[in-house]
Amino acid sequence: MEVGDRAVGFLILLFSVSLFAYYTFWVIILPFVDSDHFIHKYFLSQEYAIIIPTFAGVSLLCFLLVFIGVVMLKERNSKSKMS
């Protein structure tokens, strides 16, 4: 199973590095490229550079808070059953 875990880890790393490179090029380099250049058709408009990470962060925070709440409720219920 070690080979499978390494392959999955490599794919996750490759995806993360690709996403970071794409986002960095989109946010830092693309504003300095002429607006009629062909490279602009591969990227969304600049306002999405803020909207997408903000939405992802808020979604992750909500998921974590709900998960922690569910774990706390299950723990409280299991303690009350033992008493």
Side-chain angles (χ1 to χ4, degrees):
M1 193 67 169
E2 183 178 317
V3 174
D5 291 341
R6 289 182 66 144
V8 170
F10 178 73
L11 289 175
I12 291 172
L13 179 67
L14 185 66
F15 175 75
S16 300
V17 168
S18 300
L19 187 65
F20 177 76
Y22 179 86
Y23 186 76
T24 302
F25 187 82
W26 181 25
V27 173
I28 295 175
I29 298 172
L30 201 61
F32 298 107
V33 177
D34 291 334
S35 60
D36 58 344
H37 198 270
F38 76 93
I39 197 75
H40 280 278
K41 69 180 178 180
Y42 297 110
F43 296 91
L44 296 172
S45 61
Q46 289 293 318
E47 58 263 6
Y48 288 109
I50 301 300
I51 294 171
I52 292 172
T54 302
F55 179 75
V58 169
S59 299
L60 178 64
L61 182 64
C62 290
F63 173 76
L64 290 174
L65 291 174
V66 167
F67 178 74
I68 290 170
V70 168
V71 169
M72 289 174 62
L73 286 174
K74 284 184 178 181
E75 184 178 321
R76 187 174 74 177
N77 287 340
S78 67
K79 284 184 180 179
S80 66
K81 287 181 182 179
M82 294 183 103
S83 297

